[in-house]
Protein backbone atom coordinates (compact mmCIF):
# COMPACT_ATOMS: atom_id res chain seq x y z
CA UNK A 1 0.00 0.00 0.00
CA UNK A 2 1.03 3.64 -0.24
CA UNK A 3 3.38 4.76 2.48
CA UNK A 4 1.00 7.28 4.00
CA UNK A 5 2.86 7.22 7.30
CA UNK A 6 5.88 8.73 5.51
CA UNK A 7 3.88 11.57 4.05
CA UNK A 8 5.70 14.89 3.85
CA UNK A 9 4.04 18.25 3.35
CA UNK A 10 4.36 18.09 -0.42
CA UNK A 11 3.12 14.51 -0.52
CA UNK A 12 0.06 15.49 1.50
CA UNK A 13 -0.63 18.30 -0.92
CA UNK A 14 -0.48 15.85 -3.81
CA UNK A 15 -2.95 13.56 -2.11
CA UNK A 16 -5.19 16.49 -1.36
CA UNK A 17 -5.00 17.60 -4.96
CA UNK A 18 -5.99 14.19 -6.17
CA UNK A 19 -8.84 14.06 -3.73
CA UNK A 20 -10.31 17.29 -5.03
CA UNK A 21 -10.22 15.97 -8.59
CA UNK A 22 -11.67 12.57 -7.83
CA UNK A 23 -13.52 12.84 -4.52
CA UNK A 24 -15.78 9.86 -5.11
CA UNK A 25 -13.00 7.29 -5.44
CA UNK A 26 -13.48 4.43 -3.01
CA UNK A 27 -10.45 2.73 -1.44
CA UNK A 28 -9.00 0.11 -3.80
CA UNK A 29 -9.66 -3.50 -2.94
CA UNK A 30 -6.86 -5.66 -1.58
CA UNK A 31 -4.42 -6.68 -4.31
CA UNK A 32 -5.29 -3.71 -6.52
CA UNK A 33 -1.98 -2.06 -5.74
CA UNK A 34 -0.08 -4.90 -7.36
CA UNK A 35 -2.09 -4.49 -10.53
CA UNK A 36 -1.57 -0.74 -10.44
CA UNK A 37 2.20 -1.01 -10.13
CA UNK A 38 2.48 -3.65 -12.78
CA UNK A 39 3.93 -2.36 -16.03
CA UNK A 40 1.87 -3.20 -19.15
CA UNK A 41 3.34 -6.46 -20.33
CA UNK A 42 4.40 -6.54 -23.96
CA UNK A 43 2.18 -8.88 -25.91
CA UNK A 44 -0.49 -8.86 -23.23
CA UNK A 45 -3.83 -8.29 -24.89
CA UNK A 46 -5.66 -7.89 -21.61
CA UNK A 47 -4.16 -4.58 -20.50
CA UNK A 48 -3.44 -3.24 -23.99
CA UNK A 49 -6.65 -1.38 -24.64
CA UNK A 50 -6.69 0.48 -21.34
CA UNK A 51 -3.00 1.21 -20.80
CA UNK A 52 -1.55 1.80 -24.24
CA UNK A 53 -2.45 5.02 -26.01
CA UNK A 54 -3.52 4.42 -29.58
CA UNK A 55 -0.99 5.18 -32.31
CA UNK A 56 2.07 4.57 -30.14
CA UNK A 57 2.34 0.81 -30.37
CA UNK A 58 1.97 -1.68 -33.20
CA UNK A 59 1.35 -5.37 -32.80
CA UNK A 60 3.61 -7.60 -34.91
CA UNK A 61 1.32 -9.82 -37.02
CA UNK A 62 3.89 -12.62 -36.97
CA UNK A 63 5.02 -12.89 -33.34
CA UNK A 64 2.27 -10.71 -31.69
CA UNK A 65 4.87 -8.63 -29.79
CA UNK A 66 3.77 -5.06 -29.09
CA UNK A 67 6.36 -2.79 -30.70
CA UNK A 68 6.91 0.83 -29.77
CA UNK A 69 6.29 2.82 -32.97
CA UNK A 70 9.35 5.02 -32.56
CA UNK A 71 11.60 1.97 -32.20
CA UNK A 72 9.87 0.28 -35.13
CA UNK A 73 10.56 3.37 -37.28
CA UNK A 74 14.20 3.48 -36.13
CA UNK A 75 14.50 -0.21 -37.07
CA UNK A 76 13.29 0.50 -40.65
CA UNK A 77 9.88 -1.01 -39.83
CA UNK A 78 11.32 -4.45 -39.05
CA UNK A 79 10.18 -6.32 -35.92
CA UNK A 80 13.17 -6.43 -33.56
CA UNK A 81 12.00 -9.76 -32.13
CA UNK A 82 11.13 -11.94 -35.13
CA UNK A 83 12.39 -9.94 -38.14
CA UNK A 84 8.95 -9.48 -39.70
CA UNK A 85 9.13 -6.79 -42.40
CA UNK A 86 6.27 -4.28 -42.10
CA UNK A 87 5.27 -2.20 -45.13
CA UNK A 88 7.38 0.93 -45.53
CA UNK A 89 6.74 4.08 -47.58
CA UNK A 90 8.75 4.97 -50.68
CA UNK A 91 10.28 8.09 -49.09
CA UNK A 92 11.44 6.15 -46.02
CA UNK A 93 13.03 3.55 -48.28
CA UNK A 94 14.88 6.17 -50.27
CA UNK A 95 16.10 7.85 -47.07
CA UNK A 96 17.35 4.49 -45.80
CA UNK A 97 19.23 3.73 -49.01
CA UNK A 98 20.77 6.88 -50.46
CA UNK A 99 23.30 9.30 -49.05
CA UNK A 100 21.70 12.27 -47.30
CA UNK A 101 20.73 15.08 -49.68
CA UNK A 102 22.07 13.18 -52.70
CA UNK A 103 18.67 12.30 -54.20
CA UNK A 104 17.47 14.43 -57.11
CA UNK A 105 13.86 13.57 -57.83
CA UNK A 106 12.57 13.41 -61.40
CA UNK A 107 9.07 14.21 -62.72
CA UNK A 108 7.79 14.85 -59.20
CA UNK A 109 4.68 16.69 -60.41
CA UNK A 110 3.48 14.17 -63.01
CA UNK A 111 -0.12 13.15 -62.31
CA UNK A 112 -2.56 10.69 -63.85
CA UNK A 113 -5.43 11.74 -66.10
CA UNK A 114 -8.79 10.02 -65.80
CA UNK A 115 -8.90 9.16 -69.51
CA UNK A 116 -11.62 6.53 -69.26
CA UNK A 117 -13.78 8.60 -66.88
CA UNK A 118 -13.80 5.50 -64.73
CA UNK A 119 -16.70 5.28 -62.31
CA UNK A 120 -17.70 2.48 -59.98
CA UNK A 121 -17.97 2.33 -56.22
CA UNK A 122 -15.81 5.47 -56.30
CA UNK A 123 -14.75 7.56 -59.29
CA UNK A 124 -11.06 7.25 -60.27
CA UNK A 125 -10.61 11.01 -60.05
CA UNK A 126 -11.84 10.99 -56.43
CA UNK A 127 -9.64 8.01 -55.56
CA UNK A 128 -6.60 9.76 -57.03
CA UNK A 129 -7.32 12.94 -55.10
CA UNK A 130 -7.84 10.94 -51.87
CA UNK A 131 -4.57 9.04 -52.21
CA UNK A 132 -2.65 12.16 -53.15
CA UNK A 133 -3.89 13.74 -49.95
CA UNK A 134 -3.25 10.75 -47.69
CA UNK A 135 0.22 9.88 -49.02
CA UNK A 136 1.55 13.29 -50.05
CA UNK A 137 2.54 11.71 -53.37
CA UNK A 138 1.29 12.59 -56.86
CA UNK A 139 1.29 8.95 -57.93
CA UNK A 140 2.57 5.54 -56.82
CA UNK A 141 6.26 5.87 -57.72
CA UNK A 142 9.17 8.14 -56.80
CA UNK A 143 12.05 8.24 -59.27
CA UNK A 144 15.37 10.05 -59.31
CA UNK A 145 19.14 9.87 -59.21
CA UNK A 146 21.04 9.46 -55.95
CA UNK A 147 24.18 8.03 -54.40
CA UNK A 148 24.43 4.70 -52.58
CA UNK A 149 27.80 4.37 -50.85
CA UNK A 150 29.42 6.48 -53.53
CA UNK A 151 27.70 4.71 -56.47
CA UNK A 152 25.53 7.07 -58.50
CA UNK A 153 22.36 5.19 -59.39
CA UNK A 154 18.99 5.73 -61.03
CA UNK A 155 16.45 4.72 -58.39
CA UNK A 156 12.71 4.10 -58.62
CA UNK A 157 10.61 3.12 -55.61
CA UNK A 158 6.95 2.15 -55.69
CA UNK A 159 4.74 3.11 -52.75
CA UNK A 160 2.09 0.46 -52.01
CA UNK A 161 0.01 2.97 -50.03
CA UNK A 162 -0.90 4.77 -53.25
CA UNK A 163 -3.65 2.67 -54.86
CA UNK A 164 -1.85 -0.59 -54.04
CA UNK A 165 1.30 0.53 -55.88
CA UNK A 166 -0.57 -0.13 -59.13
CA UNK A 167 1.11 0.72 -62.44
CA UNK A 168 -0.89 3.19 -64.48
CA UNK A 169 0.39 5.53 -67.17
CA UNK A 170 2.25 7.79 -64.69
CA UNK A 171 4.08 4.95 -62.94
CA UNK A 172 4.98 3.45 -66.33
CA UNK A 173 6.06 6.77 -67.81
CA UNK A 174 8.13 7.81 -64.78
CA UNK A 175 9.89 4.44 -64.68
CA UNK A 176 10.53 4.55 -68.43
CA UNK A 177 12.01 8.05 -68.19
CA UNK A 178 14.15 6.88 -65.25
CA UNK A 179 15.44 3.86 -67.19
CA UNK A 180 16.13 6.01 -70.26
CA UNK A 181 17.98 8.57 -68.12
CA UNK A 182 20.05 5.73 -66.62
CA UNK A 183 20.93 4.48 -70.11
CA UNK A 184 21.83 7.97 -71.30
CA UNK A 185 23.96 8.79 -68.24
CA UNK A 186 25.50 5.31 -68.01
CA UNK A 187 24.06 4.64 -64.55
CA UNK A 188 23.08 1.40 -62.83
CA UNK A 189 19.34 1.04 -62.32
CA UNK A 190 17.55 -0.02 -59.14
CA UNK A 191 13.78 -0.40 -58.96
CA UNK A 192 12.09 -1.39 -55.71
CA UNK A 193 8.59 -2.77 -56.31
CA UNK A 194 5.54 -3.31 -54.10
CA UNK A 195 2.49 -3.56 -56.30
CA UNK A 196 -0.77 -5.33 -56.95
CA UNK A 197 -0.14 -5.02 -60.70
CA UNK A 198 -1.53 -2.89 -63.52
CA UNK A 199 -4.00 -0.13 -62.55
CA UNK A 200 -7.45 -1.23 -63.66
CA UNK A 201 -8.84 2.34 -63.68
CA UNK A 202 -6.68 3.10 -66.72
CA UNK A 203 -7.54 -0.07 -68.63
CA UNK A 204 -5.31 -0.73 -71.62
CA UNK A 205 -3.21 2.37 -70.91
CA UNK A 206 -1.93 0.48 -67.85
CA UNK A 207 -1.19 -2.69 -69.81
CA UNK A 208 0.84 -0.69 -72.34
CA UNK A 209 3.23 0.28 -69.53
CA UNK A 210 4.37 -3.33 -69.23
CA UNK A 211 5.86 -3.37 -72.73
CA UNK A 212 7.09 0.23 -72.47
CA UNK A 213 9.09 -0.29 -69.26
CA UNK A 214 10.52 -3.61 -70.55
CA UNK A 215 11.50 -1.97 -73.83
CA UNK A 216 13.42 0.74 -71.98
CA UNK A 217 15.05 -1.91 -69.74
CA UNK A 218 16.21 -3.78 -72.87
CA UNK A 219 18.06 -0.69 -74.13
CA UNK A 220 19.59 -0.25 -70.67
CA UNK A 221 20.78 -3.87 -70.77
CA UNK A 222 22.15 -3.39 -74.29
CA UNK A 223 24.31 -0.58 -72.94
CA UNK A 224 25.77 -3.20 -70.54
CA UNK A 225 24.54 -1.41 -67.44
CA UNK A 226 23.41 -3.32 -64.34
CA UNK A 227 19.78 -3.45 -63.29
CA UNK A 228 18.84 -4.58 -59.77
CA UNK A 229 15.17 -5.38 -59.27
CA UNK A 230 14.16 -5.50 -55.61
CA UNK A 231 10.85 -7.20 -54.86
CA UNK A 232 9.05 -6.40 -51.63
CA UNK A 233 5.79 -7.56 -50.14
CA UNK A 234 3.66 -7.85 -52.25
CA UNK A 235 4.77 -7.79 -55.90
CA UNK A 236 2.20 -9.24 -58.25
CA UNK A 237 0.56 -9.39 -61.67
CA UNK A 238 1.39 -6.78 -64.35
CA UNK A 239 4.40 -5.46 -62.45
CA UNK A 240 5.90 -8.91 -61.81
CA UNK A 241 5.10 -9.85 -65.42
CA UNK A 242 7.06 -6.87 -66.76
CA UNK A 243 10.06 -4.78 -65.65
CA UNK A 244 10.28 -6.33 -62.14
CA UNK A 245 11.28 -9.77 -63.41
CA UNK A 246 13.89 -8.74 -65.99
CA UNK A 247 16.60 -7.48 -63.61
CA UNK A 248 20.18 -8.72 -63.99
CA UNK A 249 19.90 -9.43 -60.30
CA UNK A 250 16.56 -10.00 -58.61
CA UNK A 251 16.52 -9.52 -54.85
CA UNK A 252 13.63 -9.86 -52.42
CA UNK A 253 12.91 -8.97 -48.82
CA UNK A 254 12.32 -11.89 -46.39
CA UNK A 255 8.76 -13.22 -46.43
CA UNK A 256 7.68 -11.10 -49.41
CA UNK A 257 4.78 -12.53 -51.42
CA UNK A 258 5.63 -12.55 -55.12
CA UNK A 259 3.73 -13.92 -58.08
CA UNK A 260 1.50 -13.35 -61.08
CA UNK A 261 -1.98 -14.47 -60.00
CA UNK A 262 -2.75 -14.79 -56.28
CA UNK A 263 -2.66 -18.24 -54.60
CA UNK A 264 -6.44 -18.40 -54.19
CA UNK A 265 -7.04 -17.83 -57.92
CA UNK A 266 -4.44 -20.45 -58.84
CA UNK A 267 -5.90 -22.96 -56.40
CA UNK A 268 -9.44 -22.41 -57.67
CA UNK A 269 -8.36 -22.65 -61.31
CA UNK A 270 -6.06 -25.66 -61.09
CA UNK A 271 -7.92 -27.47 -58.29
CA UNK A 272 -4.53 -28.53 -56.96
CA UNK A 273 -3.29 -28.23 -53.36
CA UNK A 274 -0.49 -25.64 -53.36
CA UNK A 275 2.84 -26.50 -51.69
CA UNK A 276 3.68 -24.89 -48.32
CA UNK A 277 5.29 -21.47 -48.62
CA UNK A 278 3.99 -21.05 -52.18
CA UNK A 279 4.84 -17.61 -53.64
CA UNK A 280 7.00 -16.53 -50.70
CA UNK A 281 10.43 -15.09 -51.44
CA UNK A 282 12.02 -18.13 -49.74
CA UNK A 283 10.07 -20.55 -51.96
CA UNK A 284 11.01 -18.58 -55.10
CA UNK A 285 14.68 -18.53 -54.10
CA UNK A 286 14.63 -22.33 -53.80
CA UNK A 287 13.01 -22.54 -57.25
CA UNK A 288 15.40 -20.15 -58.97
CA UNK A 289 13.15 -17.17 -59.71
CA UNK A 290 15.07 -14.78 -57.48
CA UNK A 291 18.79 -14.55 -56.76
CA UNK A 292 18.95 -13.57 -53.09
CA UNK A 293 16.88 -12.63 -50.07
CA UNK A 294 18.18 -9.51 -48.40
CA UNK A 295 16.87 -8.22 -45.05
CA UNK A 296 15.91 -4.54 -45.22
CA UNK A 297 18.56 -3.50 -42.72
CA UNK A 298 21.30 -5.07 -44.86
CA UNK A 299 19.94 -3.77 -48.16
CA UNK A 300 22.17 -0.71 -48.50
CA UNK A 301 25.38 -2.61 -47.80
CA UNK A 302 24.46 -5.55 -50.02
CA UNK A 303 23.28 -3.38 -52.92
CA UNK A 304 26.51 -1.40 -52.71
CA UNK A 305 28.50 -4.65 -52.75
CA UNK A 306 26.59 -5.99 -55.78
CA UNK A 307 26.97 -2.69 -57.64
CA UNK A 308 30.70 -2.72 -57.09
CA UNK A 309 30.98 -6.23 -58.43
CA UNK A 310 28.61 -5.74 -61.37
CA UNK A 311 29.94 -2.41 -62.59
CA UNK A 312 33.50 -3.75 -62.54
CA UNK A 313 32.47 -6.89 -64.40
CA UNK A 314 30.37 -5.03 -66.94
CA UNK A 315 33.25 -2.65 -67.64
CA UNK A 316 35.48 -5.64 -68.34
CA UNK A 317 32.89 -7.24 -70.64
CA UNK A 318 32.43 -3.92 -72.47
CA UNK A 319 36.18 -3.54 -72.96
CA UNK A 320 36.29 -7.00 -74.57
CA UNK A 321 33.71 -5.77 -77.08
ZN1 LIG B 1 7.55 -9.95 -34.71
Amino acid sequence: MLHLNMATTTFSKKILGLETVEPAVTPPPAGAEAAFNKKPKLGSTKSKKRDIPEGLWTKCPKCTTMLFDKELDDNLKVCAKCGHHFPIGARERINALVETCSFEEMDAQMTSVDVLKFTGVAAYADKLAGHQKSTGLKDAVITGVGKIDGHRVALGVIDFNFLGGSMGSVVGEKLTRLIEAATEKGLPLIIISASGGARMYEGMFSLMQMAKTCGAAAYHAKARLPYLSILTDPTYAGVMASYASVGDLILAEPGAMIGFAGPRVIKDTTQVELPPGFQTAEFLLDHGLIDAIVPRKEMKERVSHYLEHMTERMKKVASLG
Side-chain angles (χ1 to χ4, degrees):
M1 292 302 289
L2 295 170
H3 302 284
L4 290 176
N5 54 338
M6 286 171 68
T8 59
T9 322
T10 41
F11 190 68
S12 306
K13 270 183 191 165
K14 248 185 179 173
I15 292 293
L16 281 172
L18 274 175
E19 276 170 356
T20 49
V21 178
E22 287 176 19
V25 169
T26 46
E33 183 209 355
F36 179 75
N37 287 334
K38 220 174 173 182
K39 280 184 184 171
K41 202 179 166 189
L42 294 187
S44 142
T45 48
K46 213 175 171 185
S47 59
K48 186 184 71 184
K49 266 191 183 160
R50 201 177 48 206
D51 299 328
I52 301 169
E54 226 173 274
L56 277 178
W57 298 80
T58 302
K59 189 177 180 180
C60 173
K62 198 175 166 193
C63 72
T64 71
T65 302
M66 293 302 292
L67 303 160
F68 188 37
D69 279 356
K70 170 83 172 56
E71 283 171 12
L72 191 58
D73 286 346
D74 291 347
N75 208 33
L76 299 178
K77 297 258 171 75
V78 176
C79 173
K81 197 174 177 199
C82 74
H84 172 73
H85 283 50
F86 285 79
I88 186 171
R91 292 237 180 258
E92 288 165 282
R93 267 192 199 283
I94 292 169
N95 290 340
L97 266 184
V98 303
E99 306 305 318
T100 316
C101 302
S102 75
F103 191 71
E104 294 164 40
E105 194 173 340
M106 294 165 59
D107 308 305
Q109 298 305 315
M110 199 186 286
T111 49
S112 282
V113 178
D114 185 11
V115 205
L116 302 180
K117 306 284 173 232
F118 196 101
T119 51
V121 181
Y124 181 39
D126 295 341
K127 278 206 169 260
L128 273 178
H131 280 84
Q132 283 171 350
K133 203 176 166 196
S134 65
T135 60
L137 302 169
K138 293 284 181 195
D139 213 295
V141 71
I142 300 176
T143 55
V145 173
K147 265 188 176 178
I148 298 178
D149 260 354
H151 299 279
R152 228 171 140 239
V153 297
L155 174 67
V157 184
I158 304 251
D159 198 311
F160 193 78
N161 292 320
F162 196 104
L163 280 168
S166 53
M167 180 163 68
S169 41
V170 167
V171 171
E173 180 65 19
K174 282 178 80 167
L175 285 177
T176 303
R177 289 187 187 192
L178 175 79
I179 303 167
E180 286 176 349
T183 310
E184 200 178 301
K185 293 173 181 162
L187 298 177
L189 171 70
I190 299 172
I191 303 179
I192 306 179
S193 302
S195 174
R199 188 172 296 176
M200 64 166 184
Y201 307 101
E202 294 185 28
M204 200 178 284
F205 293 99
S206 295
L207 298 181
M208 284 160 61
Q209 310 311 315
M210 295 169 66
K212 192 167 85 179
T213 48
C214 280
Y219 280 108
H220 185 261
K222 214 175 170 188
R224 298 190 185 283
L225 295 162
Y227 166 28
L228 272 70
S229 176
I230 303 175
L231 313 177
T232 70
D233 188 47
T235 302
Y236 272 91
V239 163
M240 194 51 203
S242 63
Y243 73 83
S245 58
V246 296
D248 296 305
L249 201 59
I250 301 179
L251 312 176
E253 283 190 339
M257 294 297 291
I258 298 155
F260 183 61
R264 207 173 307 158
V265 175
I266 296 178
K267 202 178 165 189
D268 289 350
T269 313
T270 60
Q271 299 291 315
V272 170
E273 202 57 45
L274 301 172
F278 185 66
Q279 290 189 335
T280 58
E282 291 73 12
F283 184 91
L284 297 173
L285 179 71
D286 282 348
H287 291 79
L289 190 88
I290 58 174
D291 299 301
I293 295 175
V294 182
R296 194 175 290 160
K297 289 185 78 185
E298 291 173 27
M299 193 61 85
K300 185 176 178 177
E301 194 190 332
R302 292 274 289 272
V303 162
S304 165
H305 173 77
Y306 291 138
L307 284 175
E308 209 154 292
H309 181 73
M310 291 171 90
T311 43
E312 269 311 304
R313 196 170 177 279
M314 289 199 173
K315 266 182 215 160
K316 270 183 201 161
V317 174
S319 68
L320 292 171

